[in-house]
Amino acid sequence: MYTKIAPSILSADFSRMGEAVKLCEEGGADLIHCDVMDGTFVEPITFGGQMVKNIRPLTRLPLDVHLMIEHPKTQIKFFAEAGADIITVHYEACAKISQTYLEETLKLIKSYGVKCGAVVNPDVPVEKIFPVFTLCDMVLIMSVFPGYGGQKFIQGALDKIKSARAYAVTIGKPDMDIEVDGGVNAATAKLCREAGANVLVAGSAIFGAPDFAAAVREVRGQ
Ligand code: DX5
Ligand code: ZN
């Protein structure tokens, strides 16, 4: 299975975001991962729909918007209209509102013609999102607690990737996108690929590398 690489612009210099986006495209990335943080679901605040809107015309790459926010349903419209290609929402933010909130949010994303995905934190079993696998274009397994780039990969993510891939096969979606986010570098990427992940997010390992394109290839395992 081809491995798609999604550099996280969280690790870019926010004053030079246009250049970072160009670097992703020229460096062989497959998606651009946009980390949206609200200061409540996670401590930091990053950016909102305006950033997505502004980088949209700068690249043909799909924009992978990872919403680390409370009440995600209220924000879908803004990110969809800003030009997101895929929007992922956290199970934890949805489950605290109601049992049906995650499903409702995923359906709302799809109603805009945007791909959707569910995310689980390191302390949440992946089985919690099995009920929405049929609705999802992608699932995202966090391999760090969200909030900051540059953290250490949590090995427990590997078994969750395996379970997610196995379950995707059983529901007849063997090629479903399974994304991993947090602490991904050349070494941990190999473990993720072997476990069945095919979309790898990397922030510091790519933006912190001296040669962007070489770092993309290394994470992809080329
Ligand atoms: C963490 C973010 C990640 C982060 C990854 O809250 O969701 O996307 O940017 O950064 P690295 O690859 O440095 O762990
Ligand atoms: Zn992310």
Side-chain angles (χ1 to χ4, degrees), residues 34-52:
C34 306
D35 282 311
V36 177
M37 304 186 187
D38 68 350
T40 305
F41 181 74
V42 288
E43 278 183 329
I45 296 175
T46 53
F47 51 77
Q50 185 67 37
M51 177 69 85
V52 174

Side-chain angles (χ1 to χ4, degrees), residues 36 46-56 63 65 67 75-84:
V36 177
T46 53
F47 51 77
Q50 185 67 37
M51 177 69 85
V52 174
K53 191 174 176 182
N54 287 166
I55 64 176
R56 177 68 289 172
L63 301 179
V65 176
L67 294 184
Q75 293 296 314
I76 299 308
K77 177 179 192 284
F78 303 110
F79 288 96
E81 289 176 352

Side-chain angles (χ1 to χ4, degrees), residues 7-200:
S8 167
I9 56 170
L10 180 64
S11 293
D13 177 343
F14 279 28
S15 72
R16 298 163 66 197
M17 197 53 89
E19 289 166 50
V21 167
K22 288 259 176 295
L23 205 52
C24 290
E25 184 147 329
E26 288 159 13
D30 300 280
L31 303 134
I32 296 180
H33 187 81
C34 306
D35 282 311
V36 177
M37 304 186 187
D38 68 350
T40 305
F41 181 74
V42 288
E43 278 183 329
I45 296 175
T46 53
F47 51 77
Q50 185 67 37
M51 177 69 85
V52 174
K53 191 174 176 182
N54 287 166
I55 64 176
R56 177 68 289 172
L58 304 181
T59 179
R60 290 175 312 238
L61 293 178
L63 301 179
D64 169 27
V65 176
H66 175 193
L67 294 184
M68 286 162 275
I69 64 174
E70 303 285 3
H71 303 282
K73 208 156 77 168
T74 64
Q75 293 296 314
I76 299 308
K77 177 179 192 284
F78 303 110
F79 288 96
E81 289 176 352
D85 294 278
I86 177 154
I87 300 175
T88 58
V89 292
H90 271 262
Y91 166 83
E92 304 80 21
C94 296
K96 68 169 81 155
I97 298 174
S98 79
Q99 251 194 340
T100 54
Y101 193 92
L102 176 59
E103 184 177 333
E104 289 160 20
T105 308
L106 294 169
K107 285 182 175 163
L108 180 63
I109 297 169
K110 292 203 91 98
S111 76
Y112 286 96
V114 174
K115 290 183 178 174
C116 71
V119 192
V120 279
N121 270 343
D123 58 351
V124 172
V126 68
E127 287 76 13
K128 293 280 189 193
I129 56 169
F130 279 2
V132 295
F133 263 46
T134 49
L135 261 177
C136 287
D137 298 287
M138 181 162 85
V139 293
L140 169 50
I141 313 286
M142 291 305 299
S143 41
V144 297
F145 284 92
Y148 301 94
Q151 302 181 75
K152 190 173 178 287
F153 183 85
I154 297 171
Q155 297 280 333
L158 297 171
D159 278 341
K160 291 163 78 174
I161 298 166
K162 285 182 199 153
S163 303
R165 179 59 69 201
Y167 188 67
V169 170
T170 65
I171 61 165
K173 292 173 74 171
D175 300 329
M176 182 174 184
D177 283 335
I178 297 178
E179 183 177 51
V180 193
D181 184 8
V184 174
N185 54 35
T188 55
K190 182 169 188 284
L191 305 174
C192 293
R193 293 193 306 271
E194 287 166 357
N198 69 313
V199 186
L200 305 179

